[in-house]
Amino acid sequence: MNKKLAAALAGAAVTLLAATGCSDDNGAEVQKWAGSLCDRIQPELQKRDQANLAISEATTEKDPRKVQEADARAFGEISEAYTAMSKAVNKVGAPPVDDGKNTHGGAVTELQQVAGAYADLQKQVEDLDVKDQAAFAEGLRELAGEADKISKSGDEALNKLQAGEVGQALAEQEGCQKSKAKPSQKA
């Protein structure tokens, strides 16, 4: 579940860049736009990656209450990160490319939808009955299935991003390069 979640989240963050193209004339503008966006979303990407790591670490936990708490907290943090990314994309504005305005609006909407989906996952994990181990485990499996759906959407967005000058400009920005979540320190 966690690898797919990470892929979905990475893809959703840059959906607004899908299906855009640039000419050499506005390459500097595209670089400036990409830098501004990446600088704003980098802290949120790190927050998201840390939350995904917490979900992964919780899989070794034996106490269902602790698993529930860790997953709920992580889903909430991921939702908050996507809400902040949506706001950042909205603030940066449309990329200086053909159809940038439509692409921008679509990205903001998708980021908001991803944030909402993770808020919903948070509520669902909080509602699971930890007293019934079998029901709890089945509930977690169902949530993993929902997370898989989010992942597929993110994968598609990421694949679209791989082409074009806007994608290249983003890839060159330090703030948009994949962050490396570090394992949490347990006392």
Side-chain angles (χ1 to χ4, degrees):
M1 173 175 103
N2 296 321
K3 288 181 183 178
K4 291 182 179 185
L5 273 174
L9 299 176
V14 292
T15 300
L16 80 115
L17 303 171
T20 62
C22 307
S23 70
D24 290 337
D25 296 340
N26 66 353
E29 290 179 41
V30 173
Q31 287 289 332
K32 183 178 176 183
W33 178 89
S36 179
L37 176 64
C38 292
D39 289 347
R40 292 171 192 261
I41 66 171
Q42 178 59 26
E44 303 313 320
L45 293 171
Q46 290 175 342
K47 182 178 182 178
R48 177 211 60 203
D49 291 347
Q50 287 291 351
N52 279 319
L53 185 59
I55 291 170
S56 178
E57 290 174 346
T59 61
T60 62
E61 178 61 54
K62 302 289 184 212
D63 183 350
R65 286 189 205 309
K66 289 182 180 179
V67 172
Q68 182 182 45
E69 290 170 6
D71 286 357
R73 183 174 38 257
F75 286 142
E77 290 170 359
I78 293 168
S79 176
E80 290 170 8
Y82 275 93
T83 297
M85 282 188 256
S86 174
K87 290 177 181 178
V89 169
N90 198 40
K91 186 167 184 157
V92 170
V97 296
D98 293 339
D99 204 30
K101 187 174 181 178
N102 287 333
T103 305
H104 172 262
V108 169
T109 298
E110 184 168 337
L111 289 167
Q112 290 169 344
Q113 289 171 346
V114 170
Y118 279 100
D120 188 49
L121 287 177
Q122 177 185 14
K123 172 110 175 70
Q124 289 179 51
V125 80
E126 290 171 342
D127 290 344
L128 293 177
D129 182 5
V130 295
K131 294 176 185 173
D132 182 345
Q133 292 265 350
F136 181 71
E138 179 59 30
L140 287 179
R141 275 191 286 279
E142 289 175 16
L143 291 178
E146 290 182 43
D148 188 46
K149 291 177 187 176
I150 297 169
S151 174
K152 289 178 182 171
S153 171
D155 287 345
E156 290 171 13
L158 187 58
N159 289 337
K160 290 177 187 175
L161 180 66
Q162 301 302 317
E165 191 174 336
V166 173
Q168 183 178 9
L170 283 172
E172 293 172 6
Q173 303 301 315
E174 184 177 327
C176 279
Q177 293 174 358
K178 188 172 183 165
S179 67
K180 294 181 178 158
K182 297 175 184 162
S184 61
Q185 300 295 326
K186 294 188 179 185

